[in-house]
Amino acid sequence: MNLRHIGADFRIVSRTYLRNGAALFFSLIFPVILILLFGAIFSNSGSTAVGLEVLNEDHNSPVSSAFMNALNNTSIVKVSLVTDSSVTPSNFAAWLGQNGYAVGLVIPDGFGANFSEKRPTNLTLYENPEDPSAAGSATGAIQGVASYFNLAAAGGSPIVALGPTEKVGSQIYTYIDYLIPGLIGFTILTSPMFSMVDVTNSYRKEGIFRQLSLTPLTRAEWLTSRILWYVLLGFVTTAIMVGAGVGIFGAHVTLTLGLLPFLAVGPFLFVSLGMLAGSAAKTPESAAIIGNIITFPMMFLSGTFFPVSEFPAWLQPVAKVLPLYYVIDGMNQVMLFQNTGRALLDLLVILVIAIVFFLAAIRLFRWRDE
Amino acid sequence: MAGSIEVHGLVKRYGSLTAVNGINFEVPAGSVFSFLGPNGAGKTTTTEILEGLRQKTDGSVSVLGLDPWSQGAELHRRIGVIPQEFRFFDKITPREAIEYYRALFHTGADPKKILAQVELLDKIDSRYDTLSGGQKQKLGLALALTNDPEICFLDEPTTGLDPHARRAIWEVIRALKRDGRTVFLTTHYLEEAEILADRVAIIHQGNIIAAGTPQEIIREYGRPARMRVNGSPELADYLARKLGVQAAAEGGRIEIDLHRKEDALRVLFALDASGLPWDSFATEQDTLEDVFIRLVGRMDDGALKSGAAG
Ligand SMILES: Nc1ncnc2c1ncn2[C@@H]1O[C@H](COP(=O)(O)OP(=O)(O)OP(=O)(O)O)[C@@H](O)[C@H]1O
Ligand SMILES: [Mg+2]
């Protein structure tokens, strides 16, 4: 490895890139678009409470009002009272469906009176099977509040009680906070993968590699200068995305030096993988297919848009064989949870994979025909 | 002096196709060697084997005493190459390209000087993808010169160049020779080989069918020199009788073969003695191109006949 060679080749890569409007646009603007899009869709001004439509048939009862207040105080659900007088318990389900509400609750007439006289009342919950998590949250909140009311009615006092909640880490996390490391990982993956697969193939086809094989530049130097370029690009896009996330959505992320190794090793890994995939393919078409087969599962299954812990159990092991999972998990650990131990483990995993891919790429790759 | 390039029994097969069929030649250091042949004859294949870009099937090849395939890294420091289809990074300018090569080869080449030499100075800051075909070719040549090479391999360096640019490249090749460098040149322009080359070899379907200096080849395979005058059929008859040679007037032009130098004098005396009118007197000799066309034509006919027989 000769630093002067790497420097000279780095200038070629950067100029090629900077003079290619489309490439530059996509690598710098695309991350911002992603942040804006996903941030707008999921952030809901920071609240994750489930909307709960309540049809209160027990009019002017202090007990039902207290019940609804208690539900709101859980901050799991957000109660909105149905004011449309044409809605009745018999057409409530249809009304919920028509208006696209996920969960609804009917408080029957006599709820307050029954409570005072310690007679049982059945509350009816309506749920949309397509949104089981909303229904689950609502059920939990309602059962919790109901138990408290039951206890109060029986005149008892709580034996086991949940104290004030301590948040994980030191901040209050919203979806956008998780989204930022995920999207950084997404760009670290996609921008080198797509372009390396393409470049490796077209340079071979156009004879540019043969031209380079006539110079003292080695394959390792060639690959290294590309890695350095994508590391630099990664820093820039990270700054842009963090800036957009914090500035527009008030995201909470910690920019620590701990992020740097991930921003360095991530591109190292994916540039090498891109070159490996590109040189394994014989034609540009098959190169694109191989590139997509490798990239697409990682794009969605590595915790880019949703935390892997929210995946169905059978899908979680799949995520954990994808290298990008460790990049994103590591960044989550340093940016959100300050869990250095786990971050170091993630870093070790991606470093080993990156070295293996790098060595495989320069071994398998040929400048010239046999 | 030992050859810069030595090739013995070189064979290259692509599957069942034999592109190079056991050829031998040597290129002395400091000379210009031109490799000629019709399309598909095996020129580029041979050239690329010498450059270490392709692996030979059989035979032995030595360039500057090195095996091009296994010692490519060392060889490439000492040779300059312009491939038949030169391509470079689209968005890079000639100046940047030469600076790039300069850094890779650790030389002090001056982009302006080299680009002036190949007459590309006016495009020094234009991106590669905006250059014309001939300008791209010139950049290829400029890059081949950046590392101060001992041997230059030029595969059709003047194809697609205008006549003026072609002459500029000839000047570059002459300068390379003056500096004591070896030049290996393939070309389809036979006059170019005749003007520039110390030695040429003509390859046809993987076999060398003629080799030597251009003059040797013309003498061996060309027709005799001819004298040509304008005159009447009577003059033609007179000359035939007087000199005992074939002479016919076609469209007012008479051609007489000259087997020896002295024959020219005899023709002149006979013309003078004839008392008939004549003018526009000239001698004519085959060029390398005439010889090439006859040789290759003969080989193709032979191949056709033997093909038809077999
Ligand atoms: N990579 C390859 N695979 C298979 N056959 C090849 C390959 N390269 C060249 N050939 C064949 O080998 C023969 C010689 O090709 P080569 O390129 O050496 O010819 P050439 O003399 O340089 O021709 P031209 O004047 O057209 O450049 C041709 O018949 C060609 O089809
Ligand atoms: Mg050729």
Side-chain angles (χ1 to χ4, degrees), chain A:
Chain A
M1 290 261 206
N2 181 308
L3 284 182
R4 201 170 149 193
H5 295 178
I6 295 173
D9 197 51
F10 182 83
R11 281 196 291 279
I12 295 282
V13 189
S14 53
R15 282 170 176 155
T16 298
Y17 214 94
L18 294 173
R19 291 171 189 175
N20 183 338
L24 202 62
F25 176 83
F26 275 107
S27 28
L28 298 182
I29 306 301
F30 192 56
V32 177
I33 295 177
L34 282 178
I35 286 273
L36 293 180
L37 203 65
F38 281 86
I41 292 174
F42 292 105
S43 65
N44 306 335
S45 60
S47 158
T48 51
V50 170
L52 178 67
E53 303 307 308
V54 177
L55 182 61
N56 187 8
E57 297 281 292
D58 191 31
H59 303 289
N60 303 324
S61 143
V63 181
S64 60
S65 299
F67 192 82
M68 288 189 284
N69 276 340
L71 279 174
N72 263 338
N73 287 342
T74 63
S75 71
I76 298 171
V77 292
K78 186 170 186 306
V79 170
S80 54
L81 205 56
V82 179
T83 49
D84 186 343
S85 55
S86 66
V87 181
T88 62
S90 53
N91 66 12
F92 188 47
W95 179 84
L96 284 172
Q98 277 158 18
N99 291 285
Y101 295 122
V103 267
L105 179 72
V106 177
I107 301 178
D109 191 13
F111 173 66
N114 288 344
F115 179 77
S116 316
E117 289 159 32
K118 296 187 180 142
R119 281 200 308 261
T121 313
N122 273 336
L123 303 175
T124 317
L125 183 70
Y126 293 81
E127 63 174 56
N128 180 346
E130 280 165 25
D131 195 352
S133 76
S137 304
T139 309
I142 294 163
Q143 275 171 350
V145 172
S147 306
Y148 179 79
F149 271 65
N150 290 339
L151 194 66
S157 60
I159 305 206
V160 180
L162 194 60
T165 318
E166 299 287 341
K167 291 286 183 181
V168 183
S170 55
Q171 302 278 356
I172 299 159
Y173 297 109
T174 58
Y175 177 71
I176 191 90
D177 300 338
Y178 291 99
L179 189 64
I180 287 173
L183 289 185
I184 293 172
F186 181 87
T187 42
I188 284 180
L189 164 78
T190 50
S191 99
M193 276 298 282
F194 287 133
S195 110
M196 285 301 292
V197 168
D198 177 54
V199 157
T200 310
N201 224 271
S202 59
Y203 279 15
R204 181 171 48 200
K205 201 166 156 232
E206 291 168 8
I208 286 181
F209 283 143
R210 311 179 84 218
Q211 187 69 30
L212 294 178
S213 81
L214 295 165
T215 73
L217 186 72
T218 66
R219 287 165 292 177
E221 288 161 355
W222 186 84
L223 190 51
T224 303
S225 71
R226 260 135 198 95
I227 290 169
L228 292 177
W229 170 250
Y230 281 103
V231 170
L232 181 69
L233 206 61
F235 286 154
V236 175
T237 48
T238 300
I240 293 176
M241 287 193 288
V242 170
V246 173
I248 301 170
F249 298 105
H252 314 94
V253 288
T254 343
L255 280 181
T256 65
L257 287 180
L259 193 57
L260 295 184
F262 290 93
L263 294 181
V265 180
F268 175 22
L269 197 164
F270 294 115
V271 172
S272 305
L273 181 59
M275 180 163 178
L276 199 57
S279 51
K282 292 281 170 278
T283 65
E285 292 75 23
S286 62
I289 293 170
I290 293 179
N292 289 348
I293 288 176
I294 296 174
T295 313
F296 276 105
M298 258 192 281
M299 262 162 77
F300 299 107
L301 298 182
S302 304
T304 36
F305 301 118
F306 304 99
V308 170
S309 55
E310 289 181 8
F311 286 6
W314 60 269
L315 203 53
Q316 295 196 11
V318 177
K320 289 179 185 168
V321 300
L322 301 173
L324 185 59
Y325 167 80
Y326 296 94
V327 178
I328 292 176
D329 188 67
M331 287 193 293
N332 270 319
Q333 301 308 325
V334 294
M335 291 177 88
L336 299 178
F337 310 127
Q338 282 87 36
N339 183 345
T340 315
R342 180 146 162 205
L344 281 176
L345 194 67
D346 288 326
L347 189 63
L348 186 69
V349 171
I350 57 171
L351 189 62
V352 170
I353 300 175
I355 291 171
V356 170
F357 283 166
F358 181 87
L359 294 177
I362 59 174
R363 263 198 82 78
L364 292 181
F365 181 71
R366 292 271 162 267
W367 290 127
R368 47 184 195 185
D369 308 326
E370 294 298 309

Side-chain angles (χ1 to χ4, degrees), chain A residues 369-370, chain B residues 12-15 17-20 35-48 54 84-85 155-156 186-188 203 205-206:
Chain A
D369 308 326
E370 294 298 309
Chain B
K12 174 67 186 183
R13 289 192 198 95
Y14 296 110
L17 176 96
T18 304
V20 176
F35 208 39
L36 311 173
N39 290 136
K43 301 182 298 296
T44 297
T45 301
T46 306
T47 310
E48 289 182 349
R54 250 176 223 292
Q84 182 169 355
E85 283 172 21
D155 196 352
E156 299 192 24
T186 78
T187 178
H188 288 297
I203 184 170
Q205 294 184 355

